[in-house]
Amino acid sequence: MSILKVEKLTKSFGGLTAVSNVNMYLDQGELVGLIGPNGAGKTTLFNLLTGVYKPTAGTVTLQRGGSDQVISGLKPSTICEMGLARTFQNIRLFKDLTVLDNVRIAMHKDVRYGLLSSFLHLPSFVREEKRLKEKSLELLRVMGLEDKKDELAKNLPYGEQRHLEIARALATNPVLLLLDEPAAGMNPAETARLTELIGWIRENYKVTILLIEHDMSLVMKVCERIFVLDYGMIIANGTPAEIQSDKRVIEAYLGEDVANA
Amino acid sequence: MKVKNLMEKPAFRKFGGIIVLYAVVQLLISVGILNDYYFATIVTIGINVILAVSLNLITGFTGQFSLGHAGFMSIGAYFCAIVTLRVPGIPGFLLGMLAGGAAAAVVGLLVGLPTLRLKGDYLAIATLGMAEIIRIVFQNIEITNGAAGLSNLPKFVNWSWLFLFVAGITVLIVNFLHSSIGRACISIREDEIAAESMGINITRYKVTSFIIGAFCAGIAGALYATYFPIIKPDTFGFAKSVDILVIVVFGGLGSITGSIVGAVVLGLISMLLASWTDLRMVIYAILLIVIMIFRPQGLMGSREFSLAMLKRAGEQLNGLFHKKSKKEEN
Ligand SMILES: Nc1ncnc2c1ncn2[C@@H]1O[C@H](COP(=O)(O)OP(=O)(O)OP(=O)(O)O)[C@@H](O)[C@H]1O
Ligand SMILES: [Mg+2]
């Protein structure tokens, strides 16, 4: 059963068409890769899915519980409330806040107390805050950041900042998780650990995952299916084995000359 | 031993300091050491604390640049004065406070909703214009008595009322900042795109923070109009908005204790230099330049002053003194 359907999605910046007539789908529970050369339009596609950019044309439909809902054109916060969460390629943590606060903020949309309780710290506040903290700490434990909960996000090493991005996205309680180059800047050992973690998260949080990654060791290992984007267009879609032997993909990555040689 | 036990209680650690402050000032007033002249300075400082803390909520914590805080103050002052000139006694006073705060909040909604939806710093321009329009309106309508302003206003504010409003509003805002909605506001300052991608409705919380700030500025204005006998449109001009912003920047954007310290320090300097108005402006300017050079983040940065901070500083000092003897032990 598919959970996300993308139809004829297009985004132009002036004369440049960064995403061009993209059709794709994701099935419930799948772990899918999105690859392509630099500037292919992968991040732009994520920005369209999450509402950061409005599409020039086309639609994105989220299918949940048998009902279809067009999400293209909605506000990012509304799209997040409907179950899409993401991480950012150029890390966008709340830098001057603690690790714990970064995660708690992402849980705000589900908080069950209002303004009055915020001012007066009524019992409903105390109860909810306790729940928020416990759930945040659990997510931090999963991502190996529990003992860093009181550090400022900006003081974490690079790899841990990427882990915190994932913890924060999970805190929104998503059905679909979009990861933009989660292993960028990590060494092979860190990447291997992250690869395992991503598989584990999919199993335990029952989320569908779409991930952008340049590190092929990660993509080929965990992804069941891969989309290849080149010049804003989907040029291939298949299993890792199919993608590795696809002539157009090899061309896109290595240039036509090499492919023909 | 008993005192120490008391000080360990969480309630005391939270409120002990301000209760002691209340008692000490009350004592100084009743024995006559703090005369009316000094008390006027205390009222001004208290009003400035409310103004600075509430502007800090908007600018330092939510990251929205507002240049018209004095405009909200004047709405609060005039609405309150209009009420207290008609309704006698404490009911009039309380009704006036409420009217002042509520009127400022409504104007805050009218200005904030259309501008805070836009990306970019339109709020600064809109609030600047708003404050100017309000001033001109108050200068030209009958009920506010034009440029001459309203005079013979009944006086209600004593130390207890002042303390109640200043401490009460500060505690409420600190509580708010330590709630999920408060954190949502702070996340907007940190990174709007990340915040909205994590489910934060950024327009809603920008407006929320702005309205709370406007309400508090209205209360500050109402306190002004129930202590000082005269209010005039010019009292709440652009210069007053800048004064408030200076306190906030001086104390540190994003630090409540910084705003309080800023209001007190700058208030005392103003008092000491009251008879040399020109010199006051020069010293003000020099002070600001010095702060901008040596501590561009303001006195407190975005940190809060706490007993734990004093304790840490004490331990560090202690450590310095004891280093030598420890080395010898080893
Ligand atoms: N806001 C924008 N305004 C104008 N052009 C943009 C904007 N965002 C992206 N682009 C352009 O769109 C194209 C696709 O960019 P995008 O960031 O989506 O690529 P990418 O596949 O994520 O690349 P990388 O692997 O380097 O991250 C690039 O040519 C980029 O310059
Ligand atoms: Mg990218």
Side-chain angles (χ1 to χ4, degrees):
Chain A
M1 192 185 75
S2 100
I3 182 166
L4 188 84
K5 204 164 74 196
V6 175
E7 286 167 301
K8 297 183 179 164
L9 198 63
T10 301
K11 178 69 186 177
S12 308
F13 297 109
L16 175 88
T17 306
V19 169
S20 174
N21 204 23
V22 163
N23 293 301
M24 62 191 282
Y25 68 92
L26 297 176
D27 281 339
Q28 178 85 52
E30 262 191 315
L31 206 172
V32 176
L34 177 62
I35 64 172
N38 287 111
K42 305 180 294 296
T43 299
T44 305
L45 182 56
F46 268 24
N47 283 333
L48 290 171
L49 298 182
T50 53
V52 174
Y53 292 157
K54 305 274 169 273
T56 309
T59 55
V60 180
T61 312
L62 190 65
Q63 307 185 299
R64 284 189 71 178
S67 74
D68 288 9
Q69 194 128 31
V70 175
I71 61 169
S72 40
L74 298 179
K75 276 188 304 199
S77 55
T78 312
I79 293 177
C80 176
E81 274 176 41
M82 296 169 83
L84 249 77
R86 72 175 294 180
T87 65
F88 294 91
Q89 178 179 0
N90 51 343
I91 301 174
R92 275 181 176 272
L93 292 170
F94 306 125
K95 289 201 290 290
D96 285 313
L97 302 185
T98 64
V99 166
L100 177 64
D101 277 346
N102 268 271
V103 177
R104 281 198 291 200
I105 285 166
M107 284 155 71
H108 174 70
K109 66 185 176 65
D110 299 323
V111 165
R112 290 177 294 234
Y113 64 81
L115 260 182
L116 191 68
S117 209
S118 304
F119 282 122
L120 300 176
H121 288 193
L122 301 174
S124 62
F125 167 91
V126 178
R127 223 180 309 120
E128 255 322 73
E129 285 292 312
K130 185 159 170 270
R131 184 182 72 87
L132 289 184
K133 190 165 178 185
E134 278 167 7
K135 197 173 162 212
S136 305
L137 289 180
E138 183 198 312
L139 283 168
L140 289 176
R141 201 173 310 132
V142 168
M143 300 309 298
L145 292 169
E146 198 188 12
D147 51 340
K148 304 262 172 124
K149 67 179 168 53
D150 295 322
E151 287 204 30
L152 297 187
K154 65 178 175 190
N155 293 338
L156 293 183
Y158 196 73
E160 290 183 345
Q161 294 196 8
R162 291 227 174 266
H163 278 83
L164 180 54
E165 279 252 349
I166 297 177
R168 187 178 66 170
L170 282 174
T172 67
N173 205 10
V175 290
L176 174 56
L177 181 61
L178 309 177
L179 304 174
D180 198 342
E181 303 201 16
M186 289 188 180
N187 63 35
E190 287 172 326
T191 304
R193 218 172 45 229
L194 181 70
T195 309
E196 245 169 66
L197 198 52
I198 289 173
W200 190 89
I201 287 170
R202 192 253 303 249
E203 293 303 318
N204 283 271
Y205 288 92
K206 306 270 178 272
V207 291
T208 308
I209 298 179
L210 175 64
L211 79 93
I212 297 175
E213 193 44 73
H214 282 298
D215 189 314
M216 289 303 145
S217 72
L218 191 158
V219 176
M220 295 300 163
K221 187 156 174 219
V222 301
C223 295
E224 289 141 3
R225 201 153 60 83
I226 296 172
F227 286 100
V228 187
L229 205 60
D230 190 25
Y231 291 112
M233 284 175 285
I234 298 280
I235 58 166
N237 164 23
T239 62
E242 286 165 3
I243 294 298
Q244 271 167 320
S245 56
D246 189 297
K247 188 156 172 277
R248 289 182 66 186
V249 176
I250 299 168
E251 270 174 24
Y253 268 90
L254 304 174
E256 280 185 49
D257 299 344
V258 183
N260 292 335
Chain B
M1 201 59 196
K2 259 185 183 165
V3 174
K4 198 165 180 203
N5 280 343
L6 179 66
M7 283 179 71
E8 298 288 307
K9 286 226 167 78
F12 184 85
R13 278 162 71 169
K14 219 168 167 181
F15 299 115
I18 54 175
I19 290 169
V20 169
L21 174 73
Y22 171 76
V24 168
V25 173
Q26 187 61 55
L27 189 74
L28 291 178
I29 290 171
S30 43
V31 299
I33 295 179
L34 273 174
N35 58 25
D36 284 353
Y37 172 71
Y38 290 125
F39 186 61
T41 299
I42 292 178
V43 173
T44 305
I45 289 176
I47 289 172
N48 283 344
V49 166
I50 297 180
L51 291 166
V53 164
S54 58
L55 181 63
N56 209 343
L57 169 66
I58 298 169
T59 303
F61 288 94
T62 316
Q64 307 306 304
F65 207 58
S66 170
L67 279 176
H69 223 48
F72 293 123
M73 186 189 180
S74 77
I75 293 174
Y78 273 100
F79 269 78
C80 180
I82 289 166
V83 172
T84 57
L85 284 172
R86 285 164 182 75
V87 184
I90 296 296
F93 168 57
L94 293 178
L95 195 64
M97 297 299 287
L98 193 66
V106 169
V107 174
L109 175 69
L110 295 178
V111 175
L113 198 56
T115 45
L116 288 168
R117 285 166 52 203
L118 307 171
K119 295 237 186 314
D121 281 331
Y122 294 97
L123 186 69
I125 300 163
T127 46
L128 193 66
M130 170 211 74
E132 209 46 24
I133 291 170
I134 290 167
R135 197 175 62 86
I136 292 167
V137 168
F138 286 165
Q139 242 164 22
N140 288 290
I141 57 178
E142 209 168 306
I143 194 167
T144 57
N145 198 28
L150 296 171
S151 49
N152 292 325
L153 302 176
K155 179 170 168 175
F156 294 96
V157 172
N158 55 22
W159 170 238
S160 296
W161 282 119
L162 182 74
F163 181 84
L164 181 73
F165 279 102
V166 175
I169 284 183
T170 307
V171 167
L172 290 181
I173 289 187
V174 169
N175 277 355
F176 174 77
L177 287 168
H178 286 97
S179 74
S180 191
I181 301 178
R183 290 191 296 262
C185 291
I186 298 171
S187 77
I188 297 172
R189 169 195 78 191
E190 290 289 303
D191 190 322
E192 284 197 14
I193 290 183
E196 58 181 346
S197 297
M198 297 305 135
I200 307 293
N201 182 340
I202 57 173
T203 305
R204 176 172 170 191
Y205 292 116
K206 282 179 192 175
V207 173
T208 301
S209 154
F210 188 63
I211 292 176
I212 294 170
F215 179 87
C216 296
I219 294 286
L223 282 173
Y224 187 97
T226 45
Y227 178 76
F228 295 102
I230 303 172
I231 56 171
K232 284 193 267 188
D234 286 346
T235 313
F236 313 103
F238 180 60
K240 181 64 193 174
S241 288
V242 173
D243 265 355
I244 304 164
L245 190 62
V246 164
I247 294 173
V248 173
V249 173
F250 177 87
L253 283 163
S255 169
I256 293 294
T257 39
S259 285
I260 297 169
V261 172
V264 172
V265 169
L266 294 178
L268 291 177
I269 290 176
S270 286
M271 183 189 74
L272 293 175
L273 300 175
S275 33
W276 302 286
T277 331
D278 296 338
L279 189 64
R280 187 192 136 214
M281 291 322 286
V282 173
I283 292 194
Y284 237 73
I286 292 175
L287 198 70
L288 279 179
I289 292 168
V290 169
I291 281 275
M292 286 303 117
I293 291 173
F294 293 105
R295 276 195 77 79
Q297 70 277 46
L299 269 189
M300 301 294 298
S302 59
R303 288 181 310 170
E304 297 295 352
F305 180 82
S306 65
L307 285 178
M309 219 160 118
L310 271 186
K311 217 170 154 186
R312 269 200 303 278
E315 276 163 8
Q316 273 171 8
L317 272 180
N318 238 338
L320 279 180
F321 287 128
H322 289 285
K323 233 181 203 160
K324 217 177 153 196
S325 55
K326 262 189 192 160
K327 260 187 196 159
E328 278 162 10
E329 272 171 32
N330 293 339

